[in-house]
Amino acid sequence: MPEVIVLATGGTIASRHDDSGAAVPADAGATLVRTAGAVPGIDVTVRDVTATDSSALTLDQLDEIRAAVTDALGDPDVAGVVVTHGTDTMEETSLLVDLTHADPRPVVFTGAQHPADSPAADGPANLAEAIAVAADPAYRGLGVLLSFAGQVQTVRGLAKLSTVAPQPFAGGLPVAELEGTAPHRLLTKHAPIGDVRVDVVASYPGADGALVDAAVAAGARGIVLAGTGSGNTTVALAEAVRRALDAGVVVVVSTRIASGPVDAAYGGGGGAADLVAAGALLSRRLRPGQARIVLLALLAAGVGPRWIGAYLGR
Ligand SMILES: NC(=O)C[C@H](N)C(=O)O
């Protein structure tokens, strides 16, 4: 019988309402698996990594989750791994694992939009599906996957786009449309990201450079811009970006827009074309949260801006 290891990390899938009415992680992994019910023909083992709402995870905890996945795959008898995780930052943790995931065995992230004690709880069905995907040889060799609300997609490009929709995620490649394309693993070796600082700074009408300057002063080695439109900022923010680049900080341009590529299409002093001319890198497809994970992982691994730009430029 194929064996699947479930790594529980918290999130809404494990949450119940406390006396104040707020949902907080409460259920251990064993409870989640029991509630999901037996998946015929699959032997499930559970490990609790943490019980944290994913909005509150630290970078050290992201490193721990990544290490727990590696550890689980250390057993050659394991067919695949499921990670139960909050949806708020699912796109970040799953991409971190994906960046170093060379093993063909599936690593499948899942979670829930409704807490475990809600009448509409979607966690049990999502977990049962994720376990089946992790054990299914058809999903081997596709990198880290998200299984959620009946859909399986790759995690590069993933973003949570709705706070309430049963399927909140978009941006990955649906596995059904992959046609055997193997994902690109970025790093051969993971270096812990816990001690690296990368900040996200938003652009908006009237934005000045104060927050970029503050990030540099706080020791940021990288800054991700959540630009407007296809990656544009204000003139004042672009001037601060030039100062940051002069100080040796890697600056990546992403966008606050949900879909479409970032492009060096506009000038005028603060446009993406001006930022690229100054030495900033474009994150063509990854939204700010995932672009930040790439920066963290590559800076931690000692990878230079040329490779960071090559990965983010695809
Ligand atoms: N649906 C969820 O899981 C949201 C929750 N705040 C979390 O990310 O842990």
Side-chain angles (χ1 to χ4, degrees):
M1 202 175 330
E3 186 192 343
V4 168
I5 296 187
V6 173
L7 302 173
T9 71
T12 293
I13 191 170
S15 292
R16 292 178 183 271
H17 295 92
D18 66 11
D19 293 344
S20 76
V24 289
D27 286 353
T31 308
L32 303 189
V33 168
R34 198 175 337 108
T35 317
V39 185
I42 303 171
D43 194 14
V44 178
T45 309
V46 189
R47 294 180 190 169
D48 289 294
V49 182
T50 178
T52 307
D53 189 290
S54 77
S55 55
L57 287 169
T58 65
L59 292 182
D60 285 335
Q61 285 178 303
L62 264 62
D63 277 327
E64 273 167 40
I65 296 169
R66 191 208 53 78
V69 170
T70 308
D71 218 54
L73 291 171
D75 179 349
D77 293 334
V78 168
V81 174
V82 171
V83 182
T84 59
H85 194 286
T87 57
D88 284 1
T89 64
M90 186 97 80
E91 62 217 58
E92 272 104 335
T93 308
S94 60
L95 185 67
L96 181 72
V97 178
D98 191 56
L99 291 176
T100 47
H101 181 57
D103 195 302
R105 290 172 290 174
V107 172
V108 186
F109 277 69
T110 197
Q113 282 286 62
H114 299 283
D117 58 356
S118 154
D122 50 339
N126 281 346
L127 178 53
E129 278 172 14
I131 290 169
V133 168
D136 188 339
Y139 292 96
R140 283 171 66 93
L142 300 175
V144 175
L145 301 171
L146 171 84
S147 176
F148 209 102
Q151 290 173 6
V152 185
Q153 53 187 310
T154 58
V155 298
R156 187 172 189 274
L158 197 69
K160 181 179 179 180
L161 299 185
S162 169
T163 55
V164 291
Q167 174 52 274
F169 292 106
L173 295 171
V175 165
E177 295 166 21
L178 267 180
E179 290 172 2
T181 316
H184 177 79
R185 174 175 54 114
L186 180 61
L187 287 166
T188 50
K189 211 169 148 279
H190 181 84
I193 59 172
D195 291 336
V196 183
R197 182 176 183 120
V198 173
D199 289 304
V200 177
V201 176
S203 187
Y204 38 77
D208 65 15
L211 297 183
V212 167
D213 291 337
V216 175
R221 291 178 58 199
I223 294 172
V224 177
L225 297 175
T228 51
S230 51
N232 308 306
T233 59
T234 62
V235 173
L237 213 149
E239 279 163 6
V241 164
R242 274 187 210 96
R243 290 194 288 277
L245 289 162
D246 284 347
V249 175
V250 180
V251 178
V252 169
V253 185
S254 182
T255 176
R256 68 181 187 177
I257 305 300
S259 64
V262 166
D263 201 6
Y266 293 92
D274 301 302
L275 298 167
V276 168
L281 307 170
L282 292 187
S283 175
R284 287 272 303 164
R285 208 162 86 78
L286 302 191
R287 267 42 207 178
Q290 285 203 332
R292 175 171 175 264
I293 290 294
V294 171
L295 256 188
L296 283 164
L298 272 72
L299 289 170
V303 175
R306 216 169 71 108
W307 290 106
I308 298 173
Y311 181 83
L312 290 171
R314 290 188 298 124

